Amino acid sequence: MAKAGRKSSSSWKKSLKRKAAAEEIQEAAGAGDGATESGVQPPKAAAFPPGFSISEIKNKQRRHLMFTRWKQQQRKEKLAAKKKLKKEREALGDKAPPKPVPKTIDNQRVYDETTVDPNDEEVAYDESTDEFASYFNKQTSPKILITTSDRPHGRTVRLCEQLSTVIPNSHVYYRRGLALKKIIPQCIAREFTDLIVINEDRKTPNGLILSHLPNGPTAHFKMSSVRLRKEIKRRGKDPTEHIPEIILNNFTTRLGHSIGRMFASLFPHNPQFIGRQVATFHNQRDYIFFRFHRYIFRSEKKVGIQELGPRFTIKLRSLQKGTFDSKYGEYEWVHKPREMDTSRRKFHL
Amino acid sequence: MAAAAARWNHVWVGTETGILKGVNLQRKQAANFTAGGQPRREEAVSALCWGTGGETQILVGCADRTVKHFSTEDGIFQGQRHCPGGEGIFRGLAQTDGTLITCVDSGILRVWRDNDKNTSSDPLLELRVGPGVCRMRQDPAHPHVVATGGKENALKMWDLQGSEEPVFRAKNVRNDWLDLRVPIWDQDIQFLPGSQKLVTCTGYHQVRVYDPASPQRRPVLETTYGEYPLTAMTLTPGGNSVIVGNTHGQLAEIDLRQGRLLGCLKGLAGSVRGLQCHPSKPLLASCGLDRVLRIHRIQNPRGLEHKVYLKSQLNCLLLSGRDNWEDEPQEPQEPNKVPLEDTETDELWASLEAAAKRKLSDLEQTQGALQTRRRKKKRPGSTSP
């Protein structure tokens, strides 16, 4: 009974709305042109006094009705305008002006003054002599240690195992409650070049600490959207032992360059193209998306890809200059939300 | 042209890549100066101080233990001297009536005779200050008095004309509430003007005031700020407060009369490496590991004035203390002179232009926030506006 009542009440409401509108018109217009409109169907174009806005109606129900009516009207007008534009474009055919590019946050991005110019000599010198110089000069090849925070749960353990299949020459060790500051000298003695610590909270991995070893910078990321292999739909078979290629997308600023080089130094120099595997670090709006695919060229221009390995999203929280020392280390960049996140169009990586 | 411009730079910054940068905030330009023409990381600038003769000379202490003389009038490096002894980089550099004072990380403080020739003679005086020095500072009122402090190296005040023992040796504070010894890590020292007091900021986020004139060797005042090591400190023009910066890029003004936090300054994203206030204007220059030089206004209103991106990690800075920030009386006179002179002097201008172009190849300009150089090219026969 209630349902039927509601249905009829909605149509009743519409007629009530028109009546209410009529009443409004008659009230508001006063002595104006009420003569012809007191009939059955009042015209849509009501004669309201100028400066009247819907928000001035004190009655909530009537106000809501007026608003819904206005909204429907707007929608109709918008649709009509779109149709008109489409007709005009078809009429013009080839001579139609090109479609305007829609504004997105990415193309409205505030120009960052730290964007690296490829011809800049000072930045080139800085990069060629920084902590990753020994990797990029092919003097060292990476050896990674992957570990977690203490007492990891299943998801984190499986993520570590899958990461070690993605990153060649990596070893997973159980944390055993050891302090990172004690682990680091031991790693350096055993010639590890990088340390990855996956932090876990409430049984899911939520943070990543990446420390380049001899004395290199330490980056702290927060991790989200972790998908293990079995959770990825339409995935390919497990990755092989071939060294993957790397794709680093959209690391334009100086800070982005440093982080990009950090990721690049995780993988050996010589990608084996036979394996057709590629690891992608795609930066968009300061979020870095990690994906691992296998590709196959079906023709010169068509590629098929299969997503393999784990997938996660990370965001940089801080970049610290030495090896891991969060209390006494010097920070190169710290994310400060209240100072840096004030504009929706400003990004740092 | 570059030489004349170098004189008017407001801030001089030393970087980790060995480049000395001169920044002119009025014209919004930054210029690079290197001794050898190419940046070298072995020459990373670790200490800067003004040389003799007002602010016309800068002493640049590099990581390869050389101290280079740079002339701001000419915009070139004039000479260098090698200062061996001890290990580590320069932690303090000072100059007083013909002598150069250097202090290195391992605690060797040496006084060198500052002769014009580049000979590295033996030091006039050598003091062992103790290992792990983080800062050596000279008293601006008494140039022969220096103070040193470091990690597990308590604050000591030395009189270079006096005995080999320190004039004042600070004592550590009492054990804390767990009866544990409080560790010492003096990161920066400043002398308070008008009295003998010293202020230090520590790596354990404390700010302490010491008074050698009082009988107690322990700090007279101690306050804390934040949770991160304080790396740099400077005195404000009033003399009642200090501004400190920590490894997270937080800047705070702390009143020394009460030990209270007056306010903070926003903007830095990386560890603060250099801070200096102007002696009379309420301006603060700060530089750090985020590769940006910032000028803040400290009072009415507190906020950021200028921000300059300088591509390399910045280690130390020198702020020019001159008052005529805006006035550059020499520059506007040059275009007035040109129409008065004849073609023979136009040839002179042309030859000068060629020299400027050669020098320009050494200099670089920054992009982004800075405008391009608005140099008026004096071509022969052109009329000046």
Side-chain angles (χ1 to χ4, degrees), chain B residues 12 31 39 89 106 120 128 133 181 193 195 214 220 237 281 331 358 365:
Chain B
W12 295 92
I89 56 174
S106 64
S120 54
R128 279 177 201 278
V133 174
R181 177 187 171 267
S195 69
S214 79
V220 165
K281 302 186 205 214
E331 300 288 354
R358 243 188 297 119
Q365 296 175 8

Side-chain angles (χ1 to χ4, degrees), chain A residues 198-211:
Chain A
I198 304 214
N199 190 55
E200 187 202 38
D201 184 50
R202 285 165 68 108
K203 305 184 189 171
T204 47
N206 73 342
L208 179 81
I209 296 175
L210 174 55
S211 186

